[in-house]
C-alpha cells in the first residue's frame, strides 16, 4: 500500500477555490474500520454545502461522501467485508475525495460483480436517498402520484425510473426543455419546465385539481411554498435538500389551512446509521440496478485534480444525471 493518498481538503469554508489537493497518510484500519482504495468518487450537493459552510465542519477536513473501490484491509470485528472485496458506500465522515482512506466499515457495502465501480461510486448516496423517499418516509403504492423537483438531476433520474418500476406516477420539474425531455426518457409521466411555466398550476391540472400524494423536493427555498400548494389533503412534503437555499421559517398553521399536510426534513444519514438498515437499503438499490429497472447515467467525469471545476458546474446546475471524480 502507498503510505499517502492524494486527498481533497478544505482549510476554510468558502467557494470552490477553497478546495485543495494534499498528500495525506493512510495508515492501518482499527477495530470496526476498513482501508479502501478507490476507483472513483461520487459528487453530491451535500459536498458543496459542507465546503461553503452551510453545513459547518471542524477544519481542516477532507470532503466527499461516496465512492467505490477495493477493500485492502479490515480491522478487528469487521465481518461483512474482507480484503479483496469490491465495495461502495455513502457514509460519514466526509473524506471520499481521495485515492485511499481508512474509515468506519458499518456503512460500506459489498458491490455486486455486475455493477461497475464508476456506477457504484455514482449511485450510493443518490440511490439510497431514493430508496428511503419511496420506501421509508410515507406509505406509497402503485397508482399514487408524486411531484419530484430537479427530475433530471442525479437523484431525479434514479427517482423517475424507480417510480416507473413500482407503478407510481411521477410528475417532474426541471429548468429547461432538454432536461424535461431527459426526465421523460427515464420514466417520468410528465415534466414541467419551471423556468417557463406555472408549475403549480400545471401540477393541479395534471391531477384534475386533486394534487399529489407526496412532494420530493431537494431544491428548498425556491419551491417550498409552491410545493405545499401541489399536495392533496393529508399529503406529505419531503424537503430533503437546499439547492436554492434553506427553507425559511413559516407559520405551522399553513399546514392545517392547506389540508392537514405533513412535512418532513429527512437525511440519508439518519436512515443508514443502523448497519442492518443500511445494508438492506443498498441491497434494494443493487437489485433494481441489476434487474435493469434503474440505469445509472454518468454524464460528467472530472479528474480528482479538477474538483473545483466539478463543484462550479454542479452549483451552476449545468449537470444532468450523475457526476463522478476519476482517479488515474
Amino acid at each position: 500500500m502507498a503510505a499517502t493518498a492524494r486527498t481533497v481538503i478544505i482549510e476554510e469554508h468558502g467557494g470552490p477555490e477553497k478546495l485543495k489537493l494534499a498528500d495525506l497518510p493512510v495508515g492501518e484500519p482499527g477495530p470496526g474500520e476498513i482501508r479502501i482504495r478507490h476507483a472513483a468518487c461520487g459528487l453530491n450537493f451535500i459536498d458543496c454545502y459542507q465546503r461553503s459552510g452551510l453545513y459547518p465542519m471542524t477544519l481542516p477536513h477532507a470532503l466527499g461522501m461516496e465512492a467505490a473501490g477495493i477493500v485492502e484491509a479490515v480491522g478487528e470485528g469487521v465481518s461483512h467485508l474482507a480484503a479483496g472485496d469490491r465495495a461502495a458506500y455513502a457514509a460519514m465522515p466526509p473524506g471520499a475525495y481521495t485515492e485511499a482512506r481508512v474509515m468506519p466499515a458499518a456503512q460500506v457495502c459489498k458491490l455486486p460483480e455486475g455493477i461497475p465501480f464508476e456506477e457504484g461510486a455514482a449511485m450510493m448516496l443518490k440511490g439510497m436517498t431514493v430508496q428511503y423517499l419511496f420506501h421509508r418516509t410515507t406509505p406509497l403504492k402503485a397508482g399514487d402520484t408524486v411531484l419530484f423537483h430537479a427530475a433530471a438531476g442525479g437523484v431525479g433520474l434514479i427517482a423517475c425510473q424507480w417510480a416507473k418500476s413500482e407503478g407510481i406516477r411521477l410528475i417532474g420539474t426541471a429548468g429547461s426543455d432538454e432536461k424535461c425531455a431527459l426526465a421523460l426518457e427515464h420514466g417520468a409521466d410528465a415534466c414541467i419546465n419551471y423556468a417557463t411555466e406555472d408549475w403549480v398550476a400545471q401540477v393541479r391540472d395534471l391531477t384534475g385539481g386533486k394534487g399529489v400524494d407526496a412532494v420530493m423536493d431537494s431544491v428548498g427555498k425556491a419551491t417550498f411554498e409552491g410545493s405545499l400548494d401541489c399536495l392533496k389533503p393529508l399529503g406529505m412534503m419531503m424537503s430533503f435538500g437546499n439547492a436554492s437555499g434553506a427553507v425559511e421559517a413559516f407559520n405551522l398553521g399553513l399546514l392545517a389551512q392547506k389540508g392537514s399536510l405533513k412535512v418532513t426534513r429527512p437525511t440519508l444519514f439518519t436512515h443508514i446509521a443502523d448497519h442492518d438498515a443500511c445494508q438492506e437499503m443498498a441491497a434494494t438499490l443493487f437489485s433494481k440496478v441489476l434487474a435493469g429497472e434503474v440505469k445509472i447515467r454518468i454524464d460528467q467525469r472530472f479528474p480528482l485534480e479538477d474538483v473545483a471545476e466539478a463543484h462550479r458546474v454542479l452549483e451552476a446546475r449545468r449537470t444532468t444525471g450523475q457526476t463522478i471524480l476519476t482517479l488515474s
Side-chain angles (χ1 to χ4, degrees):
M1 61 160 280
T4 62
R6 290 186 305 152
T7 304
V8 176
I9 65 167
I10 55 170
E11 296 175 330
E12 58 182 327
H13 292 299
E17 72 280 358
K18 299 298 183 184
L19 296 164
K20 296 183 177 181
L21 204 57
D23 288 320
L24 298 185
V26 181
E28 296 294 330
E33 295 180 330
I34 64 162
R35 186 176 71 243
I36 183 169
R37 183 157 297 277
H38 293 153
C41 316
L43 194 76
N44 296 281
F45 256 105
I46 190 172
D47 307 343
C48 301
Y49 302 155
Q50 291 168 342
R51 187 211 71 229
S52 70
L54 180 63
Y55 295 173
M57 298 189 299
T58 301
L59 301 179
H61 210 297
L63 285 186
M65 305 298 288
E66 68 177 344
I70 296 287
V71 177
E72 289 188 331
V74 301
E76 181 183 351
V78 176
S79 59
H80 69 291
L81 294 167
D85 281 347
R86 306 172 78 252
Y89 66 87
M92 297 286 274
Y97 292 176
T98 184
E99 294 172 319
R101 69 185 294 200
V102 170
M103 64 179 294
Q107 279 68 49
V108 182
C109 307
K110 190 178 290 188
L111 185 67
E113 289 288 343
I115 301 177
F117 284 125
E118 286 196 350
E119 291 186 13
M123 74 183 192
M124 293 300 288
L125 192 147
K126 304 169 196 72
M128 289 197 292
T129 293
V130 173
Q131 198 277 347
Y132 84 68
L133 290 172
F134 280 87
H135 288 193
R136 296 170 60 90
T137 308
T138 195
L140 289 171
K141 61 186 184 302
D144 286 345
T145 301
V146 302
L147 171 62
F148 200 101
H149 291 298
V155 181
L157 291 186
I158 294 175
C160 290
Q161 298 173 82
W162 199 291
K164 186 175 182 180
S165 75
E166 299 189 352
I168 294 169
R169 182 188 185 198
L170 185 145
I171 299 170
T173 70
S176 70
D177 290 343
E178 293 76 16
K179 287 187 175 184
C180 284
L182 193 57
L184 293 170
E185 178 187 328
H186 284 75
D189 183 80
C191 193
I192 305 161
N193 183 341
Y194 61 75
T196 59
E197 299 181 63
D198 182 341
W199 55 271
V200 175
Q202 288 279 350
V203 170
R204 281 287 169 183
D205 185 57
L206 288 166
T207 58
K210 296 179 180 178
V212 299
D213 297 281
V215 177
M216 301 174 180
D217 185 358
S218 64
V219 176
K221 181 179 179 179
T223 51
F224 184 77
E225 289 190 24
S227 293
L228 295 181
D229 290 331
C230 292
L231 285 167
K232 63 173 56 172
L234 306 178
M236 170 65 83
M237 171 69 182
M238 308 177 201
S239 178
F240 68 98
N242 313 288
S244 67
V247 174
E248 295 176 346
F250 69 99
N251 177 5
L252 215 63
L254 285 174
L255 302 181
Q257 296 169 23
K258 293 178 182 292
S260 300
L261 304 181
K262 295 164 282 188
V263 176
T264 183
R265 180 56 175 91
T267 70
L268 172 65
F269 301 103
T270 306
H271 285 278
I272 65 172
D274 177 79
H275 167 76
D276 290 338
C278 177
Q279 301 297 318
E280 289 170 9
M281 291 169 68
T284 302
L285 172 61
F286 294 153
S287 69
K288 292 274 189 187
V289 173
L290 291 170
E293 295 176 346
V294 170
K295 292 180 170 59
I296 306 302
R297 178 181 175 126
I298 301 171
D299 286 344
Q300 296 81 212
R301 292 173 171 83
F302 294 87
L304 186 66
E305 56 268 25
D306 290 345
V307 62
E309 180 61 17
H311 273 230
R312 291 186 187 99
V313 171
L314 182 64
E315 289 183 297
R317 300 195 198 178
R318 301 203 308 268
T319 65
T320 55
Q322 320 298 328
T323 304
I324 63 168
L325 300 174
T326 59
L327 299 161
S328 55

